[in-house]
Amino acid sequence: MGSLYRSEEMSLVNIYLQSEAAFTCVSELGEIGLIQFNDLNESVNSFQRKFVSEVRRCDEMERKLRFMEKEMKKDSIMEDYHKNVNPLAPGMKEMNELEAKLEKFETDMKEVNKNQEKLKKNYLELTELKHILRKAQVFFEETAHLSDQQHHQEVDEDRQSLLASEYSSVHTINTLSFVAGVIQIEKMANFEKVLWRSCRGNVFLRFAEIDATFNDPDTGDAMKKNVFVIFYQGDQLKQRVKSICEGFHASLYPCPETSPERREIAIGVMTRIEDLQTVLNRTEEHRRMILTQIAADIRKWFIMVGKMKAIYHTLNKFNVNMADKCLIGEGWCAVKHIDEIRYTLRRATEMSGSSVPSILQKLKTKETPPTFHQTNNFTQSFQTIIDAYGIASYREINPTPFTIVTFPFLFAVMFGDVGHGLIMFIFGLFLVWKEKEFLQEKGSNEIWQMVFGGRYLILMMGFFSMYTGFLYNECFAISLNVFGSAWDVSKIRDVNNTLRYEKEIELDPWHNGEVFRSVGVYPNDSGVPYLYGMDPIWQSAENKITFQNSYKMKSSIILGMAQMLFGLILAYRNHKFFNDRLALYCEWIPQMIFIWCIVGYLCFLIILKWTTIKDPNAAPSLLIGLINMFMFTPSPDGLYLFNGQNTFQHFLVIVAFLMVPWMLFAKPYILYRRHIQRKQLIFRVDLPRHDGDELLHRTDSNGGEYHSVSVNVDDTALDMLNQDDRSTASTDSNDSATVDKEEFNFGEVMIYQIIHTIEYCLNCISHTASYLRLWALSLAHSELSEVLWKMVMNIGLTAFPNTFMGGVMTFAIFWFFASLTVGILLLMEGLSAFLHALRLHWVEFQVKFYKGQGEPFQPFSFEQIFLNAEESN
């Protein structure tokens, strides 16, 4: 199991680097990712550190790269962006060259963009002018034709408007002024309304939609536009019309009044558009050529700049020794990796050309090291479940190795079905099979990433669900008669009369009933039960639910006791590893006795009842017996599972109650006595020892004066006292029960111990009851599967049998049944079972031994830095 069982042994180290070799050394350490650096300049402002200028240069280069990446995405140029490259961090010379190259590319791109934007604006203006000239010609022709038709129309002079006078004659229209332009089609309705109201109807507006689609030169968005011509008379209306056009961002263009002039300008515009289109094409080709050059190396540049930035950020954590011209860093690393780190430093120093070697020095410290568990693709998902509860304290037992088995198993107890487990197993197997492809895609869907991250967990849950499904003998709520039922219907005596007159037949393996499989009586003779799991005959039994209720309920209690007991065994291993004898003798032993006297005894009664009771109706109730056990009352019906059970139960209850004061008072009392001893005996050595004699100074508890006496100090006794102090303090630095040698508050220790004692005693009962969720969810899953089968699929199988219509109906209903199975039973029920299994591990199991108060080991690793950056993006 290695470091997965207990975290790696860590060491605090100092690293001394020469200034010319510091960059290369930190770069190589980032490649191997084995050391976590501590910030030695926490009190220094980020803008006052040594390498802040280099960090700013890296930020500027990152900005330029993001600008180029944005331009590439505009033109859909991403050919080599995802190439699997991992260049080394460049040195100072390469950094300057890269910075100059990025500056050149950025300048070129900005110049190309500026020219292209200007050309596109010119092209847009010429295109709009072309459409204006075309549409204006149509407007004037239509107006001239309309004026001829209304030449003879008489209009009242008092009510004659500008519009009417326009239609009176061709000579009148020639006296009007006009403006022409284009406007976005979305603004046309409001534009027309404002124009009419502002000019009070004294203008004539003609507009038509342009068939072509325009692209905005700034944003590139497609848009539709209208051509309009506004006729007016007078300078005042002219100014008002232009102001309205300017307010709606309408583009106005000069338009000649005569047709020959318009035709001549249109020919010139078409020539200019063709020339401009040629220039635009060449500009676009030049732009794509630059972006193609960038696309070939942009991934490499991103990695190089990212590594440089990470290196300088790390160097800012170092102390700078100006006298010796060296950098001093501090960090945590695994003890087994120290030799590899030293080799990496030596190799990096040689690469940099420095004549002074880099030094790595181990330090002694009382600081709590970070927790480092080495995981792989298989164990990572299980470790994530544990870390979500809390990071393991340094060197305490990690629940992950056991969770790999217990978590999918408890899930399967609630989800046991061969068919459902097979679907889940195949899905998990597919994710594992396509693992490399999915890892390269790196999708942005968080739910999919979460499901894919738990692919091995899904695989294991599907496998164990098939296992428990075989135990329950359920496959989509149907029992499978794989090994042959232990009950043989053909052996029924007088088959015709029995099946005709008997509505119910009791199948009792203890008695020679109506149906039996062999000559003898099982299990004392040659009778053979169903080879594996439940007999399929239970599928047809009237008391199926009653039997499964009893079986699964009692099995849940036994499984819960087994897992809680295993948690206490792991707690024992922790106490022994940390040499915490106080917790071992004052907490663990009474806890173990307490749980065995109550829950362990209940499990013993369950197994004893299963193996000895022949007549279920004559069996004593375990629930009533447990109540009578705590009430010290005998069984009202006088039924017991063994002789002397009542007396034995009284003894267990008394022992269990005696464990409560043991857990409650023993540890606080011992801690108090140790505190008194330390307070009364304060040793101060003034003279060197000779032959075991030492000058001892003592002070009383009231703070009186010291009195010097010469005594002979027993070294063995002092070592034992120090060892007890170390074992007390080694339990957990964050534990409120840990006693500081200088500060001790008996009230706080006592309150803490009371809380933990009450919590443990109540948890023995509540946690045992909590495991009944295994029975409840298993029964619910089984019954829901049966309902779906009988109420959905069974209809398709029984309707119109042996007909074409029946086949079609079965096919249609099957997909409806499959959808409900996947949506309800696999997704909803699966998620419910997953959450309940998670709760059983976090609360009922891990609380027995796992504190989870550690700090994660976060090494300086380029791979992890880029992985975190991709996840954040």
Side-chain angles (χ1 to χ4, degrees):
M1 263 177 224
S3 66
L4 199 61
Y5 178 67
R6 290 191 191 275
S7 60
E8 292 285 355
E9 185 179 355
M10 307 297 289
S11 176
L12 184 65
V13 296
N14 263 358
I15 299 178
Y16 299 88
L17 306 176
Q18 290 300 309
S19 298
E20 61 270 16
F23 184 90
T24 307
C25 290
V26 174
S27 174
E28 292 299 315
L29 291 177
E31 295 291 344
I32 62 176
L34 297 178
I35 184 170
Q36 171 183 316
F37 289 101
N38 297 333
D39 191 355
L40 301 179
N41 301 312
E42 291 181 345
S43 59
V44 181
N45 190 286
S46 300
F47 300 101
Q48 297 176 347
R49 301 196 180 191
K50 180 176 177 60
F51 300 97
V52 63
S53 59
E54 286 79 1
V55 173
R56 287 176 177 172
R57 291 175 64 187
C58 294
D59 287 335
E60 181 64 17
M61 286 190 284
E62 277 189 342
R63 183 196 61 78
K64 295 175 182 178
L65 287 172
R66 286 193 298 268
F67 166 73
M68 298 175 193
E69 183 184 27
K70 182 180 178 181
E71 295 299 318
M72 288 168 52
K73 289 181 179 179
K74 285 183 180 179
D75 288 15
S76 301
I77 301 177
M78 302 295 293
E79 290 85 355
D80 300 328
Y81 183 79
H82 296 292
K83 186 181 293 185
N84 187 18
V85 293
N86 186 26
L88 297 176
M92 185 56 66
K93 181 179 178 181
E94 291 83 359
M95 180 180 178
N96 294 333
E97 293 177 354
L98 178 60
E99 190 174 18
K101 185 182 296 185
L102 295 180
E103 180 68 26
K104 179 180 179 300
F105 276 122
E106 185 189 30
T107 303
D108 292 346
M109 283 303 306
K110 287 184 176 180
E111 187 68 24
V112 170
N113 289 344
K114 182 179 179 181
N115 294 336
Q116 190 179 42
E117 183 178 351
K118 186 176 180 180
L119 290 172
K120 285 183 177 180
K121 286 184 177 180
N122 293 338
Y123 182 81
L124 178 63
E125 292 174 356
L126 290 174
T127 305
E128 291 177 347
L129 179 58
K130 178 187 70 174
H131 288 285
I132 286 176
L133 294 173
R134 288 179 180 178
K135 297 295 182 180
Q137 182 68 24
V138 176
F139 291 160
F140 283 108
E141 291 176 357
E142 291 178 353
T143 305
H145 179 67
L146 183 60
S147 63
D148 290 339
Q149 290 180 351
Q150 298 189 2
H151 178 69
H152 301 289
Q153 184 178 353
E154 295 182 359
V155 181
D156 187 359
E157 294 183 359
D158 296 335
R159 303 179 58 189
Q160 182 177 5
S161 65
L162 177 62
L163 183 59
S165 64
E166 174 201 354
Y167 290 140
S168 62
S169 65
V170 178
H171 175 74
T172 306
I173 194 171
N174 290 333
T175 63
L176 296 177
S177 301
F178 67 91
V179 292
V182 294
I183 189 172
Q184 292 185 20
I185 196 170
E186 295 85 1
K187 301 178 180 179
M188 192 65 216
N190 293 333
F191 176 72
E192 184 179 6
K193 189 181 300 183
V194 171
L195 190 65
W196 177 263
R197 291 180 178 177
S198 300
C199 299
R200 299 183 179 180
N202 291 315
V203 296
F204 176 55
L205 172 67
R206 293 299 305 274
F207 63 89
E209 182 180 350
I210 302 176
D211 297 332
T213 302
F214 298 91
N215 292 326
D216 192 329
D218 296 327
T219 62
D221 298 334
M223 54 184 177
K224 299 286 290 183
K225 291 190 175 183
N226 280 350
V227 171
F228 65 87
V229 177
I230 305 174
F231 296 94
Y232 60 89
Q233 191 174 35
D235 293 339
Q236 186 176 3
L237 282 178
K238 175 183 177 181
Q239 191 65 31
R240 187 174 300 176
V241 168
K242 288 186 175 181
S243 299
I244 295 173
C245 292
E246 183 179 353
F248 279 89
H249 300 285
S251 301
L252 300 180
Y253 295 94
C255 181
E257 296 183 359
T258 63
S259 178
E261 291 179 349
R262 288 194 294 269
R263 188 176 298 107
E264 182 180 355
I265 293 179
I267 295 174
V269 168
M270 292 299 297
T271 304
R272 292 176 60 189
I273 287 177
E274 291 177 0
D275 296 340
L276 197 57
Q277 183 64 52
T278 303
V279 177
L280 274 173
N281 293 337
R282 292 180 180 179
T283 304
E284 183 65 24
E285 290 177 1
H286 180 61
R287 170 187 167 86
R288 291 188 66 85
M289 182 185 66
I290 297 176
L291 291 177
T292 303
Q293 294 177 1
I294 296 173
D297 296 319
I298 189 170
R299 177 63 176 171
K300 180 177 68 175
W301 294 338
F302 262 115
I303 295 175
M304 293 169 65
V305 174
K307 287 184 176 181
M308 285 191 296
K309 184 178 179 180
I311 291 171
Y312 286 121
H313 266 302
T314 303
L315 289 175
N316 277 333
K317 297 180 180 180
F318 283 49
N319 275 337
V320 181
N321 190 333
M322 301 303 296
D324 298 332
K325 297 182 180 180
C326 71
L327 300 176
I328 304 173
E330 179 184 278
W332 294 99
C333 67
V335 173
K336 69 176 186 180
H337 292 153
I338 290 181
D339 292 338
E340 184 177 354
I341 294 174
R342 282 176 174 160
Y343 170 76
T344 302
L345 290 174
R346 184 167 62 252
R347 180 166 55 87
T349 305
E350 294 173 356
M351 292 171 55
S352 65
S354 175
S355 59
V356 180
S358 301
I359 300 173
L360 185 144
Q361 179 184 5
K362 295 177 64 176
L363 300 176
K364 292 183 179 180
T365 180
K366 294 183 179 180
E367 296 181 20
T368 303
T371 301
F372 176 36
H373 294 294
Q374 285 188 323
T375 59
N376 51 34
N377 289 339
F378 177 73
T379 59
Q380 181 59 44
S381 57
F382 297 94
Q383 186 65 54
T384 302
I385 292 176
I386 303 303
D387 292 343
Y389 176 84
I391 305 298
S393 300
Y394 178 64
R395 301 291 286 165
E396 79 168 334
I397 291 178
N398 181 24
T400 299
F402 318 107
T403 304
I404 293 175
V405 177
T406 59
F407 188 92
F409 175 72
L410 291 184
F411 170 87
V413 171
M414 298 178 279
F415 196 76
D417 189 286
V418 177
H420 301 155
L422 181 61
I423 296 175
M424 185 175 292
F425 179 80
I426 292 175
F427 178 67
L429 191 63
F430 170 76
L431 294 180
V432 173
W433 181 43
K434 296 288 186 178
E435 178 178 347
K436 293 184 179 178
E437 298 180 15
F438 290 137
L439 284 175
Q440 292 177 355
E441 290 180 3
K442 297 185 181 299
S444 58
N445 191 310
E446 293 185 4
I447 297 180
W448 167 251
Q449 290 296 324
M450 181 175 59
V451 172
F452 177 71
R455 56 194 178 277
Y456 289 100
L457 179 61
I458 295 174
L459 183 72
M460 294 290 289
M461 291 192 301
F463 173 78
F464 277 94
S465 295
M466 289 191 294
Y467 167 73
T468 54
F470 275 116
L471 277 177
Y472 299 155
N473 201 351
E474 290 185 5
C475 181
F476 298 110
I478 302 299
S479 293
L480 304 176
N481 193 7
V482 179
F483 306 106
S485 175
W487 307 100
D488 190 355
V489 180
S490 65
K491 300 291 184 178
I492 297 179
R493 301 170 183 173
D494 194 5
V495 177
N496 294 330
N497 292 330
T498 302
L499 296 180
R500 181 180 303 172
Y501 299 109
E502 297 290 339
K503 294 183 178 179
E504 295 181 357
I505 300 177
E506 182 179 358
L507 309 181
D508 189 355
W510 287 98
H511 299 88
N512 194 2
E514 297 288 347
V515 183
F516 49 86
R517 186 173 180 179
S518 58
V519 177
V521 178
Y522 163 77
N524 298 323
D525 208 335
S526 59
V528 180
Y530 193 68
L531 183 61
Y532 180 84
M534 289 189 182
D535 197 302
I537 196 67
W538 282 107
Q539 188 69 22
S540 305
E542 293 291 334
N543 60 338
K544 171 189 173 183
I545 296 181
T546 304
F547 164 72
Q548 289 188 347
N549 265 345
S550 177
Y551 168 73
K552 293 182 178 180
M553 183 189 303
K554 294 179 175 63
S555 299
S556 300
I557 295 176
I558 294 176
L559 289 175
M561 174 60 185
Q563 190 175 34
M564 291 190 294
L565 183 63
F566 182 61
L568 286 175
I569 294 174
L570 295 179
Y572 169 80
R573 297 290 301 168
N574 271 336
H575 296 327
K576 292 292 291 183
F577 180 83
F578 293 113
N579 195 26
D580 188 4
R581 294 182 297 176
L582 184 62
L584 179 63
Y585 294 125
C586 299
E587 291 182 345
W588 186 85
I589 291 179
Q591 288 176 356
M592 181 65 77
I593 296 174
F594 185 87
I595 195 172
W596 268 111
C597 288
I598 299 176
V599 186
Y601 175 67
L602 178 61
C603 295
F604 167 74
L605 292 180
I606 292 173
I607 297 174
L608 185 64
K609 184 176 179 180
W610 277 347
T611 55
T612 59
I613 298 299
K614 298 181 179 181
D615 185 4
N617 297 323
S621 171
L622 296 181
L623 180 60
I624 300 300
L626 194 64
I627 295 174
N628 292 334
M629 172 181 171
F630 285 96
M631 297 296 294
F632 288 92
T633 57
S635 176
D637 51 11
L639 296 177
Y640 293 101
L641 292 174
F642 59 91
N643 294 330
Q645 178 181 353
N646 192 36
T647 304
F648 184 67
Q649 291 179 165
H650 294 169
F651 169 74
L652 291 180
V653 173
I654 293 173
V655 171
F657 276 111
L658 289 177
M659 296 303 104
V660 176
W662 187 352
M663 289 185 285
L664 186 59
F665 298 112
K667 184 175 180 178
Y669 175 75
I670 294 176
L671 292 176
Y672 177 73
R673 293 297 302 171
R674 288 181 182 178
H675 172 68
I676 295 299
Q677 292 176 4
R678 282 193 297 269
K679 195 172 182 180
Q680 291 180 347
L681 296 176
I682 300 177
F683 297 95
R684 179 182 296 174
V685 180
D686 292 336
L687 296 174
R689 290 167 31 170
H690 298 285
D691 299 329
D693 292 337
E694 186 174 344
L695 189 62
L696 176 69
H697 292 267
R698 168 178 289 184
T699 180
D700 57 15
S701 59
N702 295 325
E705 295 181 356
Y706 289 98
H707 302 282
S708 298
V709 292
S710 180
V711 298
N712 184 274
V713 180
D714 190 350
D715 293 339
T716 304
L718 290 175
D719 291 340
M720 292 180 62
L721 180 60
N722 292 333
Q723 184 178 2
D724 289 340
D725 291 339
R726 288 194 300 269
S727 66
T728 301
S730 66
T731 56
D732 185 9
S733 60
N734 298 323
D735 195 335
S736 61
T738 300
V739 180
D740 193 292
K741 292 184 179 182
E742 297 180 359
E743 297 181 2
F744 180 84
N745 190 324
F746 181 77
E748 291 183 2
V749 173
M750 195 65 205
I751 292 175
Y752 180 85
Q753 196 67 20
I754 290 173
I755 293 174
H756 276 261
T757 301
I758 295 175
E759 181 184 20
Y760 178 81
C761 295
L762 294 179
N763 285 348
C764 283
I765 307 300
S766 63
H767 288 179
T768 303
S770 180
Y771 278 94
L772 292 176
R773 70 185 69 238
L774 298 175
W775 150 64
L777 267 75
S778 174
L779 185 64
H781 184 80
S782 175
E783 291 303 311
L784 190 57
S785 301
E786 187 174 354
V787 168
L788 279 182
W789 177 265
K790 290 183 177 180
M791 301 299 293
V792 180
M793 194 63 201
N794 191 51
I795 296 177
L797 295 175
T798 56
F800 306 106
N802 302 324
T803 62
F804 175 77
M805 186 62 185
V808 173
M809 190 172 183
T810 301
F811 178 80
I813 290 180
F814 167 76
W815 291 109
F816 181 63
F817 170 78
S819 302
L820 292 178
T821 299
V822 173
I824 297 178
L825 293 179
L826 288 179
L827 295 181
M828 294 178 60
E829 282 282 318
L831 180 60
S832 175
F834 176 87
L835 294 177
H836 283 285
L838 190 65
R839 182 246 155 73
L840 289 177
H841 278 78
W842 281 358
V843 179
E844 279 72 25
F845 174 55
Q846 292 177 191
V847 75
K848 300 293 187 298
F849 68 97
Y850 186 66
K851 295 185 181 299
Q853 297 176 346
E855 294 293 333
F857 177 64
Q858 297 175 333
F860 172 63
S861 169
F862 292 139
E863 180 181 1
Q864 190 62 39
I865 289 173
F866 292 126
L867 182 62
N868 294 338
E870 289 180 0
E871 291 178 354
S872 62
N873 292 333

